[in-house]
Amino acid sequence: MPVSVEKGNTVQTFARPRSMTEARSTYCPGCGHGILTRIIAQTIDELGIAERTIAIAPVGCAVFAYRWYRCDSMQVAHGRASAVATGAKRANPNLIVFAYQGDGDFASIGTAESIHAANRGENITVLFVNNQIYGMTGGEMAPTTLVQQKTTTTLEGRDPRLTGYPIRFSEMIAQLEAPVYVTRQALYDVKHILEAAKAIKRAFTNQVEGKGYSLVEVLSTCPTNWRMTPLESNRHVSEVVTKVFPLGDLVNRG
Ligand code: SF4
Ligand code: MG
């Protein structure tokens, strides 16, 4: 997986993927978005698809996602990334189109677009970043917020009697007949980062091979709004979040 670059007599083992720009990151320290960005850029390099890839950026902390990749991109209205990805792919099926969406974007504001793109089996790749909170707008409750989790709109903790339970959106999509690949991954340690990278490559490869709709949900961290250190955040995902959102493949019709 590492990209090796020879420099004189030395070999640089970890280099910036060619498909990742040098634009300065706007993500907070310890946030999973940065790791995921690198994995995606590396995948684009490995598959040699940069010239025909379009990144669809959402609204949320990844609103500037169009800055990070050396490929074409679009920044779209909140929740509509899967719909716009559908349009781009149908207009030019030779393109490789991926939608990058957070939990508020994908599983709440864009519920209809997300489910129907999956149900139609659009030949696109969707990255769904689940950090159980609305990050950019100030840490409000998201559809995936855990029971009892404190957010700026659930100051006493999420009470399911008032606001329902965390939605396992990938499980909902896995009930549909069309999706070929639905999986939930995490980034809290090296082993899981490598597994997530493998899943993301698989999801892009499915599209290259014309197999249909692939969804990779990634359990990510939001140290800033969780009021945790990056280390505490990773431990929280490993020990608490995965109990509510179990890791692994939900659909694999490769
Ligand atoms: Fe990441 Fe949270 Fe910062 Fe957004 S607010 S960049 S999700 S840590
Ligand atoms: Mg979020």
Side-chain angles (χ1 to χ4, degrees):
M1 182 171 114
V3 180
S4 294
V5 179
E6 286 190 30
K7 288 192 168 180
N9 294 329
T10 60
V11 174
Q12 183 178 342
T13 306
F14 289 97
R16 181 187 294 274
R18 288 184 302 283
S19 298
M20 193 169 169
T21 68
E22 291 177 9
R24 190 169 170 198
S25 172
T26 52
Y27 295 131
C28 308
C31 174
H33 276 300
I35 299 171
L36 193 52
T37 301
R38 187 200 156 96
I39 293 175
I40 293 168
Q42 198 160 295
T43 304
I44 294 171
D45 280 0
E46 288 173 6
L47 296 176
I49 52 173
E51 293 296 313
R52 59 186 182 118
T53 294
I54 296 193
I56 311 290
V59 170
C61 290
V63 69
F64 295 126
Y66 56 85
R67 290 182 181 172
W68 319 136
Y69 305 105
R70 231 180 276 285
C71 65
D72 287 333
S73 57
M74 280 189 265
Q75 198 287 314
V76 303
H78 210 174
R80 315 302 178 225
S82 290
V84 175
T86 298
K89 184 74 183 181
R90 287 192 176 204
N92 185 350
N94 188 46
L95 295 175
I96 301 301
V97 186
F98 74 93
Y100 188 107
Q101 303 186 251
D103 40 14
D105 189 273
F106 184 71
S108 180
I109 294 185
T111 301
E113 287 82 356
S114 302
I115 288 183
H116 289 289
N119 191 47
R120 293 189 304 268
E122 300 292 343
N123 188 25
I124 58 174
T125 303
V126 179
L127 283 308
F128 162 32
V129 184
N130 176 0
N131 58 11
Q132 304 96 57
I133 207 152
Y134 279 84
M136 181 186 75
T137 47
E140 299 87 354
M141 190 196 88
T144 49
T145 294
L146 306 185
V147 171
Q148 296 307 324
Q149 182 179 338
K150 290 185 178 166
T151 70
T152 53
T153 49
T154 55
L155 296 176
E156 304 297 324
R158 183 177 188 169
D159 179 348
R161 291 172 304 175
L162 297 174
T163 51
Y165 290 87
I167 294 179
R168 295 186 186 90
F169 210 82
S170 292
E171 276 82 344
M172 284 168 57
I173 285 184
Q175 300 306 307
L176 305 172
E177 288 180 36
V180 293
Y181 187 45
V182 180
T183 188
R184 182 179 292 117
Q185 303 289 327
L187 303 169
Y188 58 79
D189 62 17
V190 173
K191 173 175 178 280
H192 287 88
I193 290 172
L194 293 175
E195 283 177 10
K198 215 184 285 179
I200 289 166
K201 191 170 183 183
R202 173 76 193 278
F204 274 85
T205 302
N206 283 345
Q207 184 178 166
V208 170
E209 295 177 351
K211 288 183 175 165
Y213 181 92
S214 295
L215 170 66
V216 182
E217 175 179 344
V218 178
L219 299 183
S220 189
T221 54
C222 181
T224 301
N225 287 302
W226 291 359
R227 311 277 196 269
M228 293 181 193
T229 65
L231 275 178
E232 288 165 349
S233 301
N234 280 331
R235 206 172 301 129
H236 177 70
V237 175
S238 162
E239 295 175 2
V240 179
V241 179
T242 54
K243 302 265 188 324
V244 181
F245 297 105
L247 301 179
D249 290 353
L250 294 158
V251 172
N252 191 342
R253 301 192 176 103

